Amino acid sequence: MQTIDTIESVREQRAQWREQGMTVGLVPTMGCLHEGHRALIRDCVYRADKTVVSIFVNPAQFGPGEDYEAYPRNMEHDKNDCAQEGVDIVFSPQVRQMYPPDFSTWVVEETLSRGLCGAFRPGHFKGVATVVTKLFNVVQPDLTVFGKKDAQQALIVQRLIRDLNFGIRFVLGETVRAEDGLALSCRNEYLTPAQRTRATSIYRGLTEAKSLFRQGERNSAELKRVVTEAIQANAGRVEYVEVNDRQHLHAVEQIDAPAVMAVAAYFGNTRLIDNVFLEP
């Protein structure tokens, strides 16, 4: 496995693989790899001849007062995980390479990014769309794998690929959870043991709502009530609980098409997100 920190070197290796007729997959990450990331990487290794994992804590997707400086970083651990999963290149560029001092070009998605996390984190998805576009241009993958846990991000990247004609196959990986149901996330490290226990109420609420949906409940307000009460009963602070259609991420009152039920909630100062997909 190679660890490369320059754009030019990645492009040189990509050109060699192209000459050899090899397919290339890309898994973009911000590091702090856990089993959720590893599942995405395994999926990519299975589907492509060569796999590139980018590890880059992207400053452009952090707003003022968010945890960019404190975001967990452990490159040696991450490289070891990648090597064990059969990754061919770990691409870890410096910020100055990705964003020169006079950087002034941004990629903005204008529909899917308006609600949910986009409403509470202004500029976040502009940073996501821009860095993903740059990674696509550097690596030139044939396919890319994103996780379902960050559903809004994944749907935005899928739309970006379509709208900008990248010709990249988009693969959506399942959410990986701990035994108690909590979705794996780097930010789980911020939780105290008591907060960690209470945070499982997010998935318990989502599971109860999905069960009601399967029994025939189609009213979004009722499903949202179930999830909200589960979180609030465990000292969580709800930022949003929404049910949106999956094509445009518009809020829906009655569920009659594929939808996503998405949650953002705080336990202490830690913001967690999760979701379930609803299939009428």
Side-chain angles (χ1 to χ4, degrees), residues 4 18 30 36 42 52 70 107-108 112 129 138 157 160 173 195 204 210 214 218 224 237 245-246 251 254 258 276 279:
I4 297 177
R18 183 182 293 109
M30 292 207 301
R42 284 194 294 272
V52 178
V107 179
V108 180
L112 304 179
V138 171
V157 172
L160 181 153
Q195 291 167 350
R204 289 201 305 273
K210 190 169 185 176
R214 287 173 171 166
R218 293 294 182 267
K224 291 192 292 184
R237 177 166 63 87
D245 79 277
R246 291 216 299 271
Q254 291 291 129
V276 291
E279 305 286 349

Side-chain angles (χ1 to χ4, degrees), residues 6 15 44 48 67 80 90 99 104 112 119-120 130 149 153 171 176 178 182 193 207 210 218 248 255 258 260 280:
T6 67
C44 191
D67 57 346
N80 183 61
V90 169
Y99 300 106
S104 60
L112 304 179
F120 293 91
T130 299
K149 185 184 82 71
Q153 171 180 275
V171 178
V176 177
L182 186 66
T207 300
K210 190 169 185 176
R218 293 294 182 267
H248 303 294
I255 307 166
V260 57

Side-chain angles (χ1 to χ4, degrees), residues 71-85:
Y71 194 84
R73 295 164 170 86
N74 191 338
M75 182 60 73
E76 290 307 312
H77 167 271
D78 293 345
K79 288 194 295 184
N80 183 61
D81 279 3
C82 287
Q84 290 181 11
E85 297 297 348

Side-chain angles (χ1 to χ4, degrees), residues 30 56-62 68 98-99 124 127-132:
M30 292 207 301
F56 178 65
V57 183
N58 177 32
Q61 67 190 71
F62 289 82
Y68 172 69
M98 300 296 280
Y99 300 106
H124 169 71
V128 170
T130 299
V131 77
V132 168

Side-chain angles (χ1 to χ4, degrees), residues 211-270:
S211 177
L212 289 174
F213 175 80
R214 287 173 171 166
Q215 295 170 35
E217 180 62 69
R218 293 294 182 267
N219 183 272
S220 295
E222 177 61 21
L223 300 182
K224 291 192 292 184
R225 180 192 64 78
V226 168
V227 178
T228 299
E229 290 181 356
I231 295 169
Q232 292 176 341
N234 285 272
R237 177 166 63 87
V238 173
E239 185 172 80
Y240 67 75
V241 177
E242 297 290 348
V243 178
N244 292 27
D245 79 277
R246 291 216 299 271
Q247 183 175 2
H248 303 294
L249 285 184
H250 294 159
V252 295
E253 294 182 2
Q254 291 291 129
I255 307 166
D256 55 12
V260 57
M261 186 170 196
V263 175
Y266 282 86
F267 288 84
N269 294 321
T270 303

Side-chain angles (χ1 to χ4, degrees), residues 6-72:
T6 67
I7 292 170
E8 294 75 14
S9 296
V10 172
R11 284 179 167 160
E12 288 174 5
Q13 181 61 79
R14 179 64 179 95
Q16 293 178 23
W17 288 340
R18 183 182 293 109
E19 290 176 358
Q20 297 167 6
M22 293 183 173
T23 58
V24 176
L26 170 66
V27 183
T29 81
M30 292 207 301
C32 185
L33 302 186
H34 50 64
E35 182 55 33
H37 295 109
R38 294 184 67 152
L40 301 180
I41 293 168
R42 284 194 294 272
D43 196 354
C44 191
V45 169
Y46 173 77
R47 296 172 186 271
D49 297 323
K50 298 292 183 180
T51 292
V52 178
V53 172
S54 62
I55 297 177
F56 178 65
V57 183
N58 177 32
Q61 67 190 71
F62 289 82
E66 293 188 340
D67 57 346
Y68 172 69
E69 295 298 336
Y71 194 84

